[in-house]
Amino acid sequence: MLSDNVKKGATRCAHRSLFHANGFGPEDLHKPLVGICNSFNEIIPGHIHLREIAEAAKLGVAAAGGTPIEFPAIGVCDGIAMGHTGMKYSLASRELIADSIEAVTMASGFDALVLIPNCDKVVPGMLMAAARLNIPAVVVSGGPMLPGRYKGHDVSVSQAFEAAGKFAAGDISAEEMADLEAKCCPGCGSCAGLFTANTMNSLTEVLGMALPGNGTIPAAYTGGRRLLAKRAGAVVMELLKQNIRPRDIMTKEAFENAISVDMAIGGSSNTVLHLTAIAHEVGIEIPAPLFDEISRRTPYIAKLSPAGKHHMVDLNEAGGISAVMNELSKKNLLHLDALTVTGTLGDRIKNTPVEDNTVIHSVDAPYRNEGGIAILKGNLAPDYAVVKASAVAEDMLTYKGKAKCYDSETAACDAIMAGEIHDGDVVVIRYEGPKGGPGMQEMLNPTAVITGRGLKVGLITDGRFSGASQGACVGHVSPEAMEGGPIALIEDGDEIIIDIPNRKLELSVSDEELARRRQNWQQPEPKINHGYLARYARMTTSASTGAVVK
C-alpha cells in the first residue's frame, strides 16, 4: 500500500508519532489510509452542509475496514464572484484545487480518496486530481438546491440575476426585487437548475466516477445524500481491494458517454472546458469536433432551467441521470460496457426507466433532434466557439446583427444597464479569455440583464458563460483577443452572423480588411501583472484545449 511509505519500518517512528498525536492508534495505521477531501466552507451554499456528507463518507470507509482522514479543498462561489474581479479567479481555482489535492495526497501517502465537491470548478478540479494521482477514488457531491417559490412559480438564482435587468427597465420595483432575492435560494445545495455545478455532478455519474444519484438527489434530502456518501466510502474500499483506478474508468468511451448525456440534457457550455481538461489529465485528447459530432446525433430530451421550467429535483423524480442514459441506450448512443465504480454502465442503467415523460422525453419525441451544445467555427472563430443551443430561442438560432465592442465585461454590462444596447445589436466582449481576462470570466451578469430587459441581441465573447445563461450567447471564441484572434479585430458596426444550425460564426469583413487591421493591432498590457492570476495568464492554454495550465 502507498501508505506504507508513511507508517511502516523503524525509519517511520516519527511519522507514527505524528499520527498518534492526531488520535490514530496502531490499529488505525494497520488499515489503508483513505483521504476524505472535503470542500466545506461557509461562503458557498452548495458547500455549507458538506461536513455531514464527509462524516457519512468516513463512516462508510471505517465500516469497510479503512482509516478515513479528512482534509480540505478550497472553493469559489461563482454567483458571489460574478461581475467583479473575483470572477477572474473562478476558472483559475480549478488548477489550485487539483494541485493542492495532489500535494496533500502524495505528502500523506493516502491509498485511496473520497472526493466531496459540489460547485462549479471544484468538481472538475477534483476529477483532474483523481486522474492525475490515479489511485482508487470515488466522488460524492453535496447535491442540488431545491428551487425557491415566488408568486406561485419555481425560481432559482438565474431569476435573481435577471431581476437587475427588469429593475433597470422599470418592470419591477426595488421592493419586488428584494422580495424575489429573498426567495430564489431557499437553502443548501448547488443552484437548482442545470447550471455548471449540477451538469458536472451529473456527468461525474456518466464518467463512472460517482454513484447513481450523485448529480440529482437534492441536498435537502439529507437521508438520501448521507446514504449516498456512506455507500461511496464502502465503494472506495472495494475499488482499493480490486485495484480499480480512475484511468481504468475514465476512458475515451467514458468521455464520449459524458458528452452524449451532456448533449441530451442541454448542459452548461463550461463542460467543454472541463471535460477537455479532465481528459488531458488522463492523457486523452478530446478535440472540439467530437463534441459537435456527438451533438449532431444525440437528441435533446431533458429541458431544464434555464432553458425550461424544470429543475434538478424534477429530473431526480423522473429517474435521474440513469433514466436519461437508459433512454439514450435505446438508440445505441452509449458505450454500455464502460466501467464505473460499481460495475458496467449497462448493468447500472438496465432497470432505470423514465418515471415522468414530461421531464425526460422519449428519444423518439425529443425537444430537438440535436444536442444542447453546438460548436461553431468561421473566420471569427478559426479554432472554435461554443453556444448552449438548448437555451437559444428558435427565432434566434440564426441571427445577424451589428457589432458593439467592449474590451471588458464591466464596460459591456454598464452599457447594457445604461440602455445603449438595442435590438439587432451583437455585443462583443473581448480580452476576457484565459490569458486576457485573465481567468476567462463568466458573463452571467450581461446575459441576465439582456434577458431581464427583453432585448433581442446576440453576444459573443472570448470569455465564457454561466450554466444559468440563456440566449444567443456564444463563448470560448478562440483564438482569444489577447492572442490576436479575429475577435480583437472587430470594429463597431461590423456585421456578425451567428448561424447555429450550420455551425457558423462569421464576421462580414473581407480578408484584406482583416489583414490591414491585424497590421495595426497591438497586444494590450495585461490587466493584472502580479500574484496568482499573472502566473496563470502566463501558463494557461487556449480555451480550445481546455484552458489547462502547462
Side-chain angles (χ1 to χ4, degrees), residues 50 53 57 114-117 138-142 209-210 214 225 228-229 232:
L50 292 187
I53 303 298
V114 176
L115 301 164
I116 306 175
V138 177
V139 176
V140 56
S141 77
M209 289 296 294
N214 181 72
R225 292 307 316 184
L228 194 72

Side-chain angles (χ1 to χ4, degrees), residues 36-270:
I36 310 293
C37 184
N38 182 7
S39 59
F40 163 81
N41 60 61
E42 294 184 339
I43 190 67
I44 309 176
H47 294 223
I48 193 70
H49 62 302
L50 292 187
R51 282 174 170 164
E52 297 177 6
I53 303 298
E55 288 303 317
K58 287 192 279 187
L59 282 173
V61 168
T67 296
I69 304 176
E70 186 176 346
F71 68 99
I74 66 164
V76 169
C77 179
D78 280 29
I80 292 172
M82 196 74 66
H84 60 94
T85 302
M87 179 46 72
K88 297 178 185 292
Y89 288 87
S90 174
L91 181 60
S93 74
R94 185 185 70 181
E95 314 305 317
L96 289 174
I97 292 161
D99 290 350
S100 63
I101 294 171
E102 176 191 357
V104 173
T105 299
M106 295 303 294
S108 307
F110 292 137
D111 298 301
L113 291 170
V114 176
L115 301 164
I116 306 175
N118 213 28
C119 290
D120 293 35
K121 309 309 161 300
V122 189
V123 184
M126 287 191 174
L127 285 169
M128 289 165 68
R132 189 184 302 173
L133 291 161
N134 201 34
I135 60 174
V138 177
V139 176
V140 56
S141 77
M145 187 184 293
L146 292 173
R149 294 287 289 175
Y150 181 71
K151 294 185 177 180
H153 298 284
D154 285 349
V155 291
S156 67
V157 71
S158 59
Q159 280 74 41
F161 276 102
E162 290 165 13
K166 292 182 177 180
F167 176 71
D171 293 336
I172 61 173
S173 66
E175 291 75 19
E176 288 175 306
M177 184 166 65
D179 188 26
L180 176 66
E181 71 188 47
K183 295 175 179 176
C184 282
C185 299
C188 64
S190 46
C191 298
L194 188 65
F195 312 143
T196 303
N198 290 328
T199 305
M200 287 305 304
N201 279 322
S202 296
L203 297 188
T204 302
E205 286 186 46
V206 188
L207 279 172
M209 289 296 294
L211 299 175
N214 181 72
T216 60
I217 299 173
Y221 293 6
T222 54
R225 292 307 316 184
R226 288 174 181 170
L227 182 57
L228 194 72
K230 191 162 63 173
R231 286 175 175 165
V235 165
V236 82
M237 293 302 297
E238 185 62 27
L239 294 175
L240 182 59
K241 183 189 299 183
Q242 297 184 37
N243 195 30
I244 297 174
R245 305 181 181 211
R247 293 185 192 178
D248 300 322
I249 295 170
M250 290 192 284
T251 61
K252 181 70 175 291
E253 291 73 22
F255 283 101
E256 290 180 356
N257 286 342
I259 296 169
S260 296
V261 173
D262 195 16
M263 299 305 167
I265 63 178
S268 166
S269 59
N270 282 316

Side-chain angles (χ1 to χ4, degrees), residues 4-16:
D4 289 349
N5 291 322
V6 298
K7 66 187 186 184
K8 281 196 172 182
T11 61
R12 298 300 183 256
C13 175
H15 302 60
R16 291 189 293 274

Side-chain angles (χ1 to χ4, degrees), residues 163-454:
K166 292 182 177 180
F167 176 71
D171 293 336
I172 61 173
S173 66
E175 291 75 19
E176 288 175 306
M177 184 166 65
D179 188 26
L180 176 66
E181 71 188 47
K183 295 175 179 176
C184 282
C185 299
C188 64
S190 46
C191 298
L194 188 65
F195 312 143
T196 303
N198 290 328
T199 305
M200 287 305 304
N201 279 322
S202 296
L203 297 188
T204 302
E205 286 186 46
V206 188
L207 279 172
M209 289 296 294
L211 299 175
N214 181 72
T216 60
I217 299 173
Y221 293 6
T222 54
R225 292 307 316 184
R226 288 174 181 170
L227 182 57
L228 194 72
K230 191 162 63 173
R231 286 175 175 165
V235 165
V236 82
M237 293 302 297
E238 185 62 27
L239 294 175
L240 182 59
K241 183 189 299 183
Q242 297 184 37
N243 195 30
I244 297 174
R245 305 181 181 211
R247 293 185 192 178
D248 300 322
I249 295 170
M250 290 192 284
T251 61
K252 181 70 175 291
E253 291 73 22
F255 283 101
E256 290 180 356
N257 286 342
I259 296 169
S260 296
V261 173
D262 195 16
M263 299 305 167
I265 63 178
S268 166
S269 59
N270 282 316
T271 56
V272 178
L273 283 173
H274 297 325
L275 289 176
T276 302
I278 298 163
H280 171 77
E281 295 290 349
V282 179
I284 296 171
E285 183 179 352
I286 302 182
L290 179 61
F291 286 87
D292 207 60
E293 175 189 325
I294 293 175
S295 181
R296 290 286 197 183
R297 66 174 183 249
T298 306
Y300 174 39
I301 61 174
K303 193 173 187 179
L304 304 170
S305 175
K309 65 180 181 179
H310 296 123
H311 292 82
M312 296 304 292
V313 63
D314 302 306
L315 179 60
N316 186 65
E317 292 172 5
I321 296 300
S322 291
V324 171
M325 291 192 284
N326 185 302
E327 194 63 29
L328 291 179
S329 71
K330 296 175 183 178
K331 293 282 189 180
N332 297 316
L333 293 169
L334 299 174
H335 301 284
L336 297 181
D337 57 349
L339 186 63
T340 77
V341 292
T342 55
T344 68
L345 192 71
D347 287 340
R348 175 179 286 195
I349 69 171
K350 62 184 177 183
N351 296 314
T352 57
V354 173
E355 302 290 346
D356 186 345
N357 280 117
T358 66
V359 179
I360 304 172
H361 280 204
S362 162
V363 287
D364 296 317
Y367 287 101
R368 291 178 183 167
N369 290 321
E370 294 186 354
I373 294 174
I375 304 296
L376 311 185
K377 293 191 74 172
N379 69 343
L380 193 43
D383 291 345
Y384 81 76
V386 180
V387 61
K388 186 172 180 176
S390 59
V392 181
E394 294 288 339
D395 64 350
M396 291 292 287
L397 290 172
T398 302
Y399 179 81
K400 185 185 298 183
K402 299 294 184 182
K404 287 195 174 177
C405 301
Y406 303 93
D407 289 349
S408 71
E409 181 204 15
T410 301
C413 208
D414 289 345
I416 298 165
M417 290 291 286
E420 296 174 12
I421 304 301
H422 307 287
D423 288 355
D425 290 338
V426 176
V427 179
V428 177
I429 305 177
R430 57 195 177 191
Y431 297 103
E432 291 289 9
K435 293 180 181 293
M440 205 178 181
Q441 296 193 89
E442 283 188 346
M443 303 292 162
L444 180 55
N445 263 357
T447 61
V449 173
I450 285 170
T451 300
R453 293 183 72 97

